[in-house]
Amino acid sequence: MLPWRRLLGSLAALMLAGAALTPTAAQAATAPSSGWNDYTCKPSAAHPRPVILVHGTLGNSVDNWLAFAPYLVHRGYCVFSLDYGQLPGVPFFHGLGPIEKSAGQLDAFVDKVLAATGAAKADLVGHSQGGMMPRWYLKFLGGAEKVNALVGLAPDNHGTTLLGLTRLLPYFPGAEDLISAATPGLADQIAGSAFLTRLNEGGDTVPGVRYTVISTRYDQVVTPYRSQFLDGPGVRNVVVQDLCPLDLSEHVAIGLTDRIAYHEAVNALDPAHAEPTTCASVLG
């Protein structure tokens, strides 16, 4: 059984200001995904691939992307987001099921998006688990044939500790009461798990896919932050503080609110038209 209450006792002091920026479950349930998940959207010549957003642990297809999805839509992208890793009886808080099964859900969703848009390939952007889980899809489920690029915002590519994962819970009021001991998606993310061992053996990447990892030095969940980095051809590892020293985003904020990270993610999606990411990018 996962020792939630014992571990959470030591985390009470870690409530961060960023929590105030995170939508509640009730807000997520009613917030419209305005401008994205539009299956009539056809990719343009400027942006020929749909972008699929993959939420993190305890996230969902809406609340994780209330800032970034409109940011992409405004720039002319066809944008889609999915829910994955649902547990029976646990609404809103997803990414808790077995990650292999979640990768299968992503597989089906990519096929759905490609069929609707007529595109040959998609680009993926994921936050936390959502930046790591697609690597299983790419490596073992044939996803490399359907994906051009994977951009991870603070992905736990080489795992984290259980303590690190429980630090997410204060951001999601009510999550602890809803989550039972049966949370294989958390166990799969613990450094050294059988899942991560198999995912990373033989190399971090697969041919034909461009990988970008965007991390923050202030990550308090996936530590050390450099464990997020990937090795291999076609990889670019970026630290947001190297782009803007004033960026104080931690693990949650880099996915939910950080326009420095967003600007660099767009550069990764369209490297031919990349513009330098600086502190001024927050105004873009």
Side-chain angles (χ1 to χ4, degrees):
M1 181 174 180
L2 297 176
W4 297 113
R5 296 190 182 279
R6 176 170 59 83
L7 288 170
L8 283 171
S10 65
L11 297 171
L14 294 173
M15 296 289 286
L16 301 173
L21 299 173
T22 305
T24 64
Q27 289 171 325
T30 58
S33 56
S34 178
W36 85 92
N37 285 327
D38 175 5
Y39 286 89
T40 67
C41 186
K42 299 300 179 184
S44 65
H47 302 302
R49 293 175 299 275
V51 178
I52 295 174
L53 305 179
V54 190
H55 65 74
T57 304
L58 295 172
N60 60 59
S61 62
V62 175
D63 67 9
N64 215 135
W65 307 117
L66 288 172
F68 188 46
Y71 183 94
L72 290 173
V73 170
H74 180 69
R75 285 156 178 78
Y77 289 88
C78 292
V79 182
F80 302 85
S81 60
L82 77 155
D83 288 306
Y84 70 87
Q86 301 93 327
L87 290 181
V90 182
F92 311 125
F93 305 111
H94 303 323
L96 298 170
I99 298 182
E100 288 187 43
K101 182 176 179 181
S102 295
Q105 292 177 276
L106 176 61
D107 184 9
F109 191 79
V110 170
D111 286 349
K112 178 181 177 181
V113 169
L114 294 181
T117 61
K121 290 188 175 185
D123 289 324
L124 309 179
V125 180
H127 179 213
S128 193
Q129 181 190 163
M132 173 272 290
M133 175 271 280
R135 293 178 50 226
W136 188 277
Y137 162 62
L138 298 176
K139 193 169 188 177
F140 298 113
L141 302 181
E145 297 179 357
K146 305 171 188 176
V147 172
N148 169 71
L150 170 62
V151 181
L153 303 173
D156 53 344
N157 281 315
H158 298 96
T160 185
T161 63
L162 181 60
L163 184 62
L165 291 168
T166 59
R167 288 182 178 182
L168 287 170
L169 293 177
Y171 290 95
F172 301 91
E176 183 194 0
D177 295 332
L178 287 170
I179 297 170
S180 71
T183 51
L186 296 185
D188 284 345
Q189 293 178 78
I190 297 173
S193 71
F195 171 84
L196 286 169
T197 297
R198 187 177 176 205
L199 175 63
N200 291 314
E201 65 186 2
D204 291 345
T205 64
V206 296
V209 179
R210 290 187 293 104
Y211 296 81
T212 302
V213 174
I214 303 174
S215 302
T216 170
R217 288 194 178 96
Y218 303 121
D219 199 310
Q220 83 290 20
V221 174
V222 183
T223 56
Y225 70 90
R226 290 187 180 274
S227 69
Q228 302 171 20
F229 291 174
L230 296 172
D231 291 318
V235 171
R236 182 164 186 260
N237 297 307
V238 183
V239 180
V240 291
Q241 285 77 31
D242 291 340
L243 305 173
C244 175
L246 300 177
D247 192 325
L248 301 179
S249 293
E250 38 58 63
H251 184 81
V252 173
I254 196 173
L256 269 63
T257 63
D258 189 348
R259 291 174 70 91
I260 302 296
Y262 295 173
H263 189 275
E264 191 61 19
V266 169
N267 281 346
L269 295 174
D270 188 10
H273 299 95
E275 299 179 354
T277 301
T278 68
C279 293
S281 298
V282 299
L283 303 175

